[in-house]
Amino acid sequence: MIRLPLSWVQFLIDIGLLRRPHFLVKDLPEPPDEFSEGFVFREVRGGYQKWLHLKYPRCGEHIQIQLAGARRWTISID
């Protein structure tokens, strides 16, 4: 799997070579301070996925989804 820097992906979208996906994922070492439309934030600490953070589209509330522990969700990024 090839992982491109987010700035490269945005450039390819801007020039029309890629179609923008519903969400872009950004890895962070801690919860985000602010949210951007069209992004989800994956909190990664010590190489382990901990939380997925996003802004609910309808009301703008912060949603946190657990990615670690016994009762967790899983995500796939392509």
Side-chain angles (χ1 to χ4, degrees), residues 43-70:
E43 188 177 336
V44 180
R45 286 189 254 142
Y48 296 99
Q49 300 179 59
K50 299 293 184 176
W51 297 94
L52 186 71
H53 302 270
L54 63 131
K55 184 170 84 171
Y56 190 72
R58 291 188 181 172
C59 66
E61 290 292 320
H62 174 200
I63 297 175
Q64 217 171 248
I65 300 171
Q66 186 174 352
L67 300 177

Short mmCIF file of all heavy atoms in Angstrom, two decimals, residues 43-70:
data_model
loop_
_atom_site.label_atom_id
_atom_site.label_comp_id
_atom_site.label_asym_id
_atom_site.label_seq_id
_atom_site.Cartn_x
_atom_site.Cartn_y
_atom_site.Cartn_z
N GLU A 43 -6.49 8.98 16.38
CA GLU A 43 -5.53 9.21 17.46
C GLU A 43 -4.65 7.96 17.59
O GLU A 43 -5.14 6.87 17.86
CB GLU A 43 -6.28 9.47 18.76
CG GLU A 43 -5.42 9.90 19.90
CD GLU A 43 -6.23 10.21 21.14
OE1 GLU A 43 -7.44 10.52 21.03
OE2 GLU A 43 -5.65 10.12 22.22
N VAL A 44 -3.35 8.14 17.34
CA VAL A 44 -2.39 7.03 17.38
C VAL A 44 -1.32 7.37 18.41
O VAL A 44 -0.66 8.40 18.29
CB VAL A 44 -1.75 6.80 15.98
CG1 VAL A 44 -0.77 5.65 16.03
CG2 VAL A 44 -2.82 6.56 14.92
N ARG A 45 -1.16 6.49 19.41
CA ARG A 45 -0.14 6.70 20.45
C ARG A 45 0.69 5.44 20.58
O ARG A 45 0.14 4.34 20.70
CB ARG A 45 -0.79 7.03 21.79
CG ARG A 45 -1.35 8.44 21.83
CD ARG A 45 -1.79 8.80 23.22
NE ARG A 45 -3.26 8.78 23.23
CZ ARG A 45 -4.00 8.34 24.23
NH1 ARG A 45 -3.45 7.90 25.32
NH2 ARG A 45 -5.30 8.37 24.15
N GLY A 46 2.02 5.61 20.54
CA GLY A 46 2.92 4.47 20.68
C GLY A 46 2.74 3.44 19.59
O GLY A 46 2.95 2.26 19.79
N GLY A 47 2.31 3.89 18.40
CA GLY A 47 2.10 2.99 17.28
C GLY A 47 0.76 2.26 17.30
O GLY A 47 0.49 1.44 16.43
N TYR A 48 -0.09 2.54 18.29
CA TYR A 48 -1.39 1.87 18.40
C TYR A 48 -2.52 2.86 18.18
O TYR A 48 -2.50 3.97 18.67
CB TYR A 48 -1.55 1.25 19.80
CG TYR A 48 -0.57 0.16 20.07
CD1 TYR A 48 0.58 0.40 20.82
CD2 TYR A 48 -0.77 -1.13 19.57
CE1 TYR A 48 1.50 -0.60 21.07
CE2 TYR A 48 0.15 -2.13 19.80
CZ TYR A 48 1.27 -1.87 20.55
OH TYR A 48 2.19 -2.86 20.79
N GLN A 49 -3.52 2.40 17.42
CA GLN A 49 -4.72 3.21 17.21
C GLN A 49 -5.52 3.24 18.51
O GLN A 49 -5.79 2.19 19.09
CB GLN A 49 -5.59 2.60 16.12
CG GLN A 49 -4.91 2.50 14.78
CD GLN A 49 -5.84 1.86 13.76
OE1 GLN A 49 -6.92 2.38 13.49
NE2 GLN A 49 -5.42 0.75 13.19
N LYS A 50 -5.89 4.42 18.96
CA LYS A 50 -6.66 4.55 20.20
C LYS A 50 -8.09 4.99 19.96
O LYS A 50 -9.02 4.38 20.43
CB LYS A 50 -5.97 5.54 21.15
CG LYS A 50 -4.57 5.13 21.56
CD LYS A 50 -4.62 3.89 22.42
CE LYS A 50 -3.24 3.53 22.91
NZ LYS A 50 -3.26 2.40 23.81
N TRP A 51 -8.27 6.10 19.25
CA TRP A 51 -9.60 6.69 19.04
C TRP A 51 -9.73 7.22 17.62
O TRP A 51 -8.75 7.64 17.02
CB TRP A 51 -9.85 7.85 20.00
CG TRP A 51 -9.85 7.47 21.43
CD1 TRP A 51 -8.80 7.51 22.29
CD2 TRP A 51 -10.95 6.97 22.18
NE1 TRP A 51 -9.18 7.08 23.52
CE2 TRP A 51 -10.51 6.74 23.48
CE3 TRP A 51 -12.28 6.72 21.86
CZ2 TRP A 51 -11.34 6.26 24.47
CZ3 TRP A 51 -13.11 6.24 22.85
CH2 TRP A 51 -12.64 6.01 24.14
N LEU A 52 -10.94 7.25 17.12
CA LEU A 52 -11.27 7.94 15.89
C LEU A 52 -12.16 9.11 16.29
O LEU A 52 -13.13 8.93 17.04
CB LEU A 52 -12.02 7.01 14.94
CG LEU A 52 -12.31 7.58 13.55
CD1 LEU A 52 -11.01 7.67 12.76
CD2 LEU A 52 -13.31 6.72 12.82
N HIS A 53 -11.81 10.31 15.86
CA HIS A 53 -12.55 11.52 16.20
C HIS A 53 -13.15 12.11 14.93
O HIS A 53 -12.47 12.20 13.91
CB HIS A 53 -11.63 12.57 16.83
CG HIS A 53 -10.92 12.10 18.06
ND1 HIS A 53 -11.46 12.25 19.31
CD2 HIS A 53 -9.72 11.48 18.22
CE1 HIS A 53 -10.61 11.76 20.20
NE2 HIS A 53 -9.56 11.29 19.57
N LEU A 54 -14.40 12.52 15.01
CA LEU A 54 -15.02 13.20 13.88
C LEU A 54 -16.10 14.14 14.37
O LEU A 54 -16.55 14.05 15.52
CB LEU A 54 -15.59 12.20 12.87
CG LEU A 54 -16.70 11.29 13.35
CD1 LEU A 54 -17.85 11.31 12.36
CD2 LEU A 54 -16.17 9.87 13.48
N LYS A 55 -16.50 15.03 13.51
CA LYS A 55 -17.58 15.97 13.81
C LYS A 55 -18.83 15.43 13.12
O LYS A 55 -18.83 15.19 11.92
CB LYS A 55 -17.22 17.35 13.27
CG LYS A 55 -18.22 18.41 13.61
CD LYS A 55 -17.72 19.80 13.26
CE LYS A 55 -17.97 20.09 11.82
NZ LYS A 55 -17.71 21.47 11.46
N TYR A 56 -19.87 15.21 13.90
CA TYR A 56 -21.12 14.70 13.35
C TYR A 56 -21.66 15.72 12.35
O TYR A 56 -21.82 16.90 12.68
CB TYR A 56 -22.12 14.43 14.47
CG TYR A 56 -23.33 13.68 14.01
CD1 TYR A 56 -23.24 12.34 13.67
CD2 TYR A 56 -24.56 14.31 13.89
CE1 TYR A 56 -24.34 11.64 13.23
CE2 TYR A 56 -25.67 13.61 13.45
CZ TYR A 56 -25.55 12.29 13.12
OH TYR A 56 -26.66 11.60 12.69
N PRO A 57 -21.95 15.29 11.12
CA PRO A 57 -22.34 16.24 10.07
C PRO A 57 -23.61 17.05 10.36
O PRO A 57 -23.69 18.20 10.00
CB PRO A 57 -22.57 15.34 8.84
CG PRO A 57 -21.84 14.09 9.13
CD PRO A 57 -21.82 13.93 10.61
N ARG A 58 -24.58 16.46 11.01
CA ARG A 58 -25.85 17.17 11.21
C ARG A 58 -25.80 18.22 12.31
O ARG A 58 -26.31 19.31 12.16
CB ARG A 58 -26.96 16.18 11.49
CG ARG A 58 -27.30 15.35 10.29
CD ARG A 58 -28.51 14.52 10.53
NE ARG A 58 -28.79 13.73 9.34
CZ ARG A 58 -29.68 12.79 9.29
NH1 ARG A 58 -30.39 12.50 10.37
NH2 ARG A 58 -29.87 12.12 8.18
N CYS A 59 -25.20 17.87 13.46
CA CYS A 59 -25.25 18.81 14.59
C CYS A 59 -23.88 19.38 14.95
O CYS A 59 -23.80 20.31 15.76
CB CYS A 59 -25.85 18.13 15.81
SG CYS A 59 -24.86 16.79 16.47
N GLY A 60 -22.81 18.84 14.39
CA GLY A 60 -21.48 19.37 14.67
C GLY A 60 -20.86 18.88 15.96
O GLY A 60 -19.81 19.38 16.37
N GLU A 61 -21.49 17.92 16.63
CA GLU A 61 -20.95 17.40 17.89
C GLU A 61 -19.72 16.53 17.64
O GLU A 61 -19.61 15.86 16.61
CB GLU A 61 -22.00 16.56 18.62
CG GLU A 61 -23.14 17.36 19.18
CD GLU A 61 -22.72 18.24 20.33
OE1 GLU A 61 -21.91 17.81 21.17
OE2 GLU A 61 -23.21 19.38 20.37
N HIS A 62 -18.81 16.50 18.61
CA HIS A 62 -17.60 15.68 18.56
C HIS A 62 -17.97 14.24 18.90
O HIS A 62 -18.57 13.98 19.93
CB HIS A 62 -16.59 16.23 19.57
CG HIS A 62 -15.37 15.38 19.71
ND1 HIS A 62 -14.56 15.47 20.80
CD2 HIS A 62 -14.80 14.44 18.92
CE1 HIS A 62 -13.55 14.62 20.69
NE2 HIS A 62 -13.68 13.98 19.54
N ILE A 63 -17.62 13.32 18.00
CA ILE A 63 -17.87 11.90 18.22
C ILE A 63 -16.52 11.22 18.36
O ILE A 63 -15.61 11.46 17.57
CB ILE A 63 -18.67 11.28 17.06
CG1 ILE A 63 -20.03 11.92 16.97
CG2 ILE A 63 -18.77 9.77 17.23
CD1 ILE A 63 -20.84 11.48 15.79
N GLN A 64 -16.41 10.36 19.36
CA GLN A 64 -15.19 9.63 19.64
C GLN A 64 -15.51 8.14 19.55
O GLN A 64 -16.42 7.67 20.23
CB GLN A 64 -14.78 9.96 21.07
CG GLN A 64 -13.35 10.07 21.31
CD GLN A 64 -13.08 10.61 22.70
OE1 GLN A 64 -12.60 11.70 22.78
NE2 GLN A 64 -13.37 9.88 23.74
N ILE A 65 -14.79 7.40 18.71
CA ILE A 65 -15.02 5.97 18.54
C ILE A 65 -13.78 5.22 19.01
O ILE A 65 -12.68 5.49 18.55
CB ILE A 65 -15.33 5.64 17.07
CG1 ILE A 65 -16.59 6.40 16.63
CG2 ILE A 65 -15.49 4.14 16.88
CD1 ILE A 65 -16.87 6.34 15.16
N GLN A 66 -13.98 4.27 19.92
CA GLN A 66 -12.87 3.53 20.51
C GLN A 66 -12.30 2.52 19.52
O GLN A 66 -13.02 1.70 18.97
CB GLN A 66 -13.35 2.81 21.77
CG GLN A 66 -12.27 2.13 22.53
CD GLN A 66 -12.78 1.54 23.84
OE1 GLN A 66 -13.91 1.77 24.24
NE2 GLN A 66 -11.94 0.79 24.49
N LEU A 67 -10.97 2.59 19.30
CA LEU A 67 -10.28 1.68 18.39
C LEU A 67 -9.36 0.71 19.13
O LEU A 67 -8.65 -0.07 18.51
CB LEU A 67 -9.46 2.47 17.37
CG LEU A 67 -10.24 3.44 16.48
CD1 LEU A 67 -9.29 4.20 15.58
CD2 LEU A 67 -11.27 2.70 15.65
N ALA A 68 -9.32 0.77 20.47
CA ALA A 68 -8.45 -0.11 21.27
C ALA A 68 -9.28 -0.71 22.39
O ALA A 68 -10.31 -0.17 22.79
CB ALA A 68 -7.28 0.69 21.85
N GLY A 69 -8.83 -1.84 22.91
CA GLY A 69 -9.51 -2.48 24.02
C GLY A 69 -10.39 -3.63 23.56
O GLY A 69 -10.48 -3.94 22.37
N ALA A 70 -11.04 -4.26 24.53
CA ALA A 70 -11.85 -5.43 24.24
C ALA A 70 -13.11 -5.09 23.43
O ALA A 70 -13.51 -5.84 22.55
CB ALA A 70 -12.26 -6.12 25.54
#
